[in-house]
Amino acid sequence: MNNTPHPSWATLPADEIRRHAREECDLAILPLGSIEQHGPHSPAGVDDFNAIGLATRVAERTRAMVLPCPMYGSHPYHHWHMPGTIPLSYETHIALITDIVRGAAVAGYNKFILLSAHGQVSTTTVAVHKLGLEGYFTLSLHWYDFLRDDRHVLEDYMWHADEAETSMGLYLYPEYIDMGKATKGGGQPLVDHRFVIAPGQVPQPGMMYHFEGTFARPEYKELENGVIGDPTRATREKGEQLVMTVVDQISALIGDIMSRYPVGTKPPVA
Ligand SMILES: [Zn+2]
């Protein structure tokens, strides 16, 4: 019945989903991305495809269950009104995540990982804490946090529709990437770069994460081609190394969680 090499909720019958939680692994991964313009060379589903690609590889390794990706995501204010981008309101996205975790728990899952390949801590963090009040063990992971200063692979930090995301696309779904249309992008913060943490950068004292301030001009006014960073530097080999680095680290995290709280054991959140 299940033709994928990883445990996949959407392709399994309910009794097999319950057996998996009872006997194999009671940790479920919810891949989260967005429907967002990613420049002229990449599809609008980049973040979803990256999240699904990472989650399935982690699940092949750890036997965690992969929940269906809801495709739409939440966005910082400066993404709104950009053609091709369809943001969910913050309240909708928080409700979506909390409802999915509550529903998955009914089948016997006791641990949850939200795996985002898109910057949306503004909603995932709130969802995690709402769920914590209800006793659910939930972690919100953003892929670029597992690549802190991975400069041996990349020439720049992780931005948007850039070297990093396009490299992952060339590795995971090259049929949707057109490198002939890849051009360097723009985007400058309203405060000096030294006060702002780039995604994937190791923070220095006094730096703000990009969700901690309204220091970006709206993309539809700021960006000519929708790109921040330089996708022309992207290669399939870089994408493979990025994917493997993230998969290694998240798999190690899941290994630690499952060794502390074996199948059938709920971490004592409540
Ligand atoms: Zn993206």
Side-chain angles (χ1 to χ4, degrees):
M1 191 80 180
N2 189 15
N3 294 322
T4 55
H6 63 273
S8 166
W9 194 293
T11 58
L12 286 168
D15 57 352
E16 181 58 25
I17 292 169
R18 294 174 67 193
R19 187 205 61 76
H20 183 84
R22 205 168 51 238
E23 297 175 13
E24 282 195 63
C25 185
D26 60 352
L27 185 147
I29 303 171
L30 176 60
L32 292 173
S34 71
I35 292 297
E36 178 182 15
Q37 69 79 22
H38 275 79
H41 64 291
S42 299
V46 160
D47 297 336
D48 297 306
F49 300 144
N50 287 349
I52 292 166
L54 292 169
T56 54
R57 282 162 178 77
V58 168
E60 281 171 20
R61 191 104 51 100
T62 62
R63 303 301 297 160
M65 175 62 75
V66 179
L67 288 156
C69 175
M71 300 303 280
Y72 297 93
S74 71
H75 292 256
Y77 79 98
H78 62 277
H79 287 186
W80 287 64
H81 314 303
M82 188 76 174
T85 301
I86 306 178
L88 297 184
S89 69
Y90 303 108
E91 295 78 8
T92 302
H93 199 233
I94 293 163
L96 179 81
I97 294 168
T98 51
D99 283 350
I100 291 170
V101 168
R102 290 179 191 126
V106 173
Y109 289 82
N110 291 313
K111 300 116 179 165
F112 299 93
I113 284 180
L114 316 177
L115 175 48
S116 285
H118 166 67
Q120 48 195 343
V121 290
S122 50
T123 49
T124 58
T125 305
V126 177
V128 160
H129 290 273
K130 284 171 77 83
L131 289 163
L133 285 170
E134 297 176 31
Y136 296 104
F137 177 85
T138 314
L139 305 180
S140 164
L141 313 182
H142 282 67
W143 73 279
Y144 47 77
D145 287 335
F146 290 86
L147 294 168
R148 289 246 180 258
D149 267 356
D150 196 0
R151 307 297 284 279
H152 65 281
V153 175
L154 297 170
E155 295 171 57
D156 197 357
Y157 297 114
M158 279 138 275
W159 300 104
H160 172 73
D162 58 347
E163 179 189 8
E165 287 194 315
T166 306
S167 294
M168 284 175 74
L170 288 171
Y171 175 56
L172 295 172
Y173 42 90
E175 67 274 25
Y176 297 149
I177 306 286
D178 183 352
M179 286 302 283
K181 292 183 179 168
T183 49
K184 204 173 168 180
Q188 290 295 325
L190 301 177
V191 297
D192 192 89
H193 269 292
R194 70 179 186 274
F195 301 114
V196 181
I197 307 165
Q201 185 178 7
V202 174
Q204 299 298 313
M207 285 180 127
M208 293 172 285
Y209 195 59
H210 69 287
F211 278 97
E212 295 175 304
T214 52
F215 45 71
R217 271 168 51 82
E219 282 188 349
Y220 74 94
K221 293 181 180 171
E222 175 78 357
L223 301 181
E224 272 179 35
N225 58 6
V227 174
I228 306 171
D230 188 358
T232 65
R233 294 170 172 165
T235 67
R236 183 189 184 281
E237 291 69 30
K238 288 178 184 175
E240 182 173 12
Q241 287 184 61
L242 296 176
V243 168
M244 291 309 155
T245 303
V246 176
V247 169
D248 282 350
Q249 294 195 52
I250 296 178
S251 299
L253 171 64
I254 291 175
D256 178 69
I257 293 166
M258 295 308 297
S259 68
R260 289 166 189 266
Y261 309 104
V263 177
T265 316
K266 203 171 175 178
V269 172

